[in-house]
Amino acid sequence: QVQLVESGGGLVQPGGSLRLSCAASGSIFSIYDMGWYRQAPGKQRELVARSGVITTYADSVKGRFTISRENYKNMVYLQMNSLKPEDTAVYYCNADIAAYTDYKRRDYWGQGTQVTVSS
C-alpha cells in the first residue's frame, strides 16, 4: 500500500510564508511526477505546481511558490511566499507512483492540509 502524508499547513497573515511537506511511503517501486493541488470552498481542485520531467506552476503562483523534491527521501515540498488571501484552500499532495504490487503507475493523493491566509 502507498500513502502520501502532508504537513505544514496553518494560518498565516497576508505576505507571509509557509512550507508544505509531503512524504510518500509504502511499497514504492518508483515515483514519477509529484505535485501540489488545492481546492478552495466552492471551487474545483486546481493544479498549483508539479515536478516531473518538467516543472509546471499555475500562473497565479508563479514567482511566489517553489516546488522541490528530495527523491531519496520520497519527499516533495512547496515553499509558499508572499501569500495572499486568495491562496486560502486545502492543499493536496499528488504523486504518480508504481508500487511493487504490480509495477503499474497510479495516481495517489494525500489527505490534504488547510492553508488559511488572513489578517
Side-chain angles (χ1 to χ4, degrees):
Q1 197 61 291
V2 173
Q3 284 188 321
L4 300 180
V5 178
E6 303 102 333
S7 61
L11 173 64
V12 64
Q13 291 187 341
S17 298
L18 279 177
R19 188 191 193 214
L20 305 182
S21 301
C22 173
S25 63
S27 184
I28 296 171
F29 169 69
S30 186
I31 301 178
Y32 303 91
D33 288 12
M34 297 187 83
W36 292 93
Y37 291 72
R38 68 186 180 187
Q39 188 166 18
K43 294 188 177 181
Q44 288 190 330
R45 191 173 296 188
E46 63 176 2
L47 170 70
V48 177
R50 193 160 184 88
S51 172
V53 174
I54 60 173
T55 298
T56 303
Y57 292 95
D59 287 343
S60 60
V61 308
K62 282 180 181 176
R64 300 188 297 122
F65 291 11
T66 303
I67 188 171
S68 61
R69 292 171 64 168
E70 285 188 299
N71 291 327
Y72 71 101
K73 289 184 177 179
N74 294 339
M75 298 283 296
V76 63
Y77 307 94
L78 186 68
Q79 178 66 44
M80 304 185 293
N81 299 327
S82 302
L83 282 160
K84 305 175 181 180
E86 51 263 43
D87 295 318
T88 296
V90 178
Y91 284 69
Y92 296 90
C93 178
N94 171 265
D96 180 8
I97 295 174
Y100 278 111
T101 49
D102 59 9
Y103 301 97
K104 291 181 179 179
R105 294 171 63 166
R106 289 185 175 84
D107 243 9
Y108 292 88
W109 292 89
Q111 80 287 354
T113 185
Q114 177 70 46
V115 171
T116 302
V117 185
S118 175
S119 54

